[in-house]
Structures are given as structure tokens and as C-alpha cells.
Amino acid sequence: MLKDRVLFFPQLCHSSVGCFRVCPHDALEENPAYVGEIQTCHLSDSLTLVSGKLKEGDVRTTAVIRRVREITSNDPLVLLDSPPGTASPFIETVDDVSLCVLVTEPTPFGLHDLSVAVNVLDVLNIPAVVIINRSEESDEHIEEYCSGRVFPVLMKIPLDFPLLKAKNNGDLISRIDPAWFERFKELGEKILVYTGEAL
């Protein structure tokens, strides 16, 4: 508060509308701002990719995620990909979902981030399953943690140079390797079972 006006920092706004709810005098009014864009690509008759792209330098990720969720709200099955971490973008992404698929790596940092995400999901009462990426022979601490929390590990993706090279080239390993196509197909079926959406 300055002597003659209120100083606002619009770039810090996360579009939660909490300020509108608590203002006792209805003194606020919305002023739309460009924070990013949504792109829609129909990959097939039954598959549509909706991408939210945040404006460079902006931090209001939740507004973009919220818009993606609005666009896809009437679709029977939606897969949402969250930014890493457990801050506001993660919360906005997982809010009211039927299942969260947590992807982790078998490192101390991976275990720490996994445990933080699990604690958030516990508060939100959202079930979860786990995929271990860059899996090696040292997965025991991740598996022990998941077993203790009763979170199934649905897949392990090995730390494999040809796989890494394919991913770094922008290829989908399920397209270049039929065995991985089958593994990801089985993974999709398992996820549907856990969501109660088995076809």
C-alpha cells in the first residue's frame, strides 16, 4: 500500500481468484492478460493432443494448465502431463484426477521428490502408481518405498544408451521398437484398470 494507491505485481498472479473471494468490498475487477497459448492437434480420429505453451518469462503456468483442462473437460479419457515438482502447476494438474502416474528415477533426489509428491497426493486423496525411468540395478530403495506406501511400480524403463539416443533424437521408442510398443500398450491397459476405466 502506497499513500495514494495499491501497488500490484501482476506477473506474480497465479489466477487462483482467491483475492476475489476474500475481498469484502468487491473492489477488484479482472483484467485479462496474455500468458501463453493453447495448441490443438488431432493425431487420429480418437486421439487429440492439446498443448499449453507458457509465454517466455511468465510464471503463471496454472492459468495455461487450467485452460487446457477446460478444453478437455468433456473428453472421456484425458492424460495430463505435469511440469516437474510439486508446486502450483502440479497441484493444478492433478486436482480431481482419478489416478496420478508418478515417474521417478532411482537416485536419492528421485526418491526425495517422489516422497514429496506422494505426501501431496495423500492430502488430495489421489491414488498413484509409479514408473521408474533410467532404471538400473540400484532400484531397491525406490521399490521398498513404493511397497511400504502400497504404490505399485507398473514399469521400469532401463538406462539404455540406444533408448536415450532415440529419445534425444525426438523419436518415440514405441515407434522404433515393436517390443517397446507392446510394453507401453500393456502399461496403458494397466493404467486404465487402476483408473477404473478398463475398456
Side-chain angles (χ1 to χ4, degrees):
M1 292 286 292
L2 300 180
K3 182 178 179 181
D4 58 345
R5 69 187 188 277
V6 177
L7 189 62
F8 287 98
F9 297 92
Q11 67 275 17
L12 298 180
C13 172
H14 284 266
S15 304
S16 68
V17 302
C19 51
F20 288 89
R21 293 178 183 161
V22 300
C23 178
H25 302 291
D26 294 325
L28 303 171
E29 62 181 50
E30 290 187 77
N31 187 8
Y34 173 76
V35 297
E37 57 188 52
I38 308 296
Q39 299 172 336
T40 302
C41 178
H42 299 286
L43 303 174
S44 71
D45 291 340
S46 59
L47 184 61
T48 300
L49 176 65
V50 180
S51 300
K53 186 177 180 183
L54 188 66
K55 181 178 76 174
E56 187 174 340
D58 209 307
V59 297
R60 294 171 281 189
T61 314
T62 53
V64 176
I65 295 170
R66 189 175 302 122
R67 183 67 185 130
V68 169
R69 295 199 63 172
E70 288 170 2
I71 291 171
T72 60
S73 63
N74 293 324
D75 293 323
L77 180 63
V78 178
L79 304 177
L80 300 165
D81 186 18
S82 170
T86 54
S88 298
F90 174 74
I91 304 294
E92 187 69 38
T93 303
V94 302
D95 183 40
D96 200 33
V97 299
S98 54
L99 179 72
C100 185
V101 179
L102 296 169
V103 180
T104 189
E105 296 182 356
T107 65
F109 294 112
L111 179 58
H112 172 267
D113 290 350
L114 177 65
S115 66
V116 172
V118 164
N119 290 337
V120 171
L121 295 175
D122 280 347
V123 171
L124 297 174
N125 198 28
I126 296 171
V129 294
V130 175
I131 294 172
I132 301 176
N133 192 26
R134 298 176 183 246
S135 172
E136 298 183 278
E137 295 179 1
S138 57
D139 296 344
E140 296 86 5
H141 56 292
I142 298 286
E143 292 183 284
E144 287 173 9
Y145 174 80
C146 292
S147 176
R149 296 303 303 260
V150 199
F151 287 137
V153 176
L154 297 190
M155 176 183 270
K156 294 182 179 184
I157 302 173
L159 182 60
D160 179 78
F161 183 73
L163 290 182
L164 291 174
K165 185 176 179 181
K167 288 191 280 186
N168 288 341
N169 289 335
D171 293 326
L172 294 175
I173 59 176
S174 59
R175 282 190 180 159
I176 62 176
D177 186 335
W180 275 104
F181 175 85
E182 290 301 322
R183 289 177 192 160
F184 279 113
K185 183 179 175 184
E186 290 173 11
L187 174 65
E189 291 168 353
K190 289 177 184 177
I191 290 172
L192 287 175
V193 169
Y194 278 97
T195 61
E197 299 287 340
L199 301 176

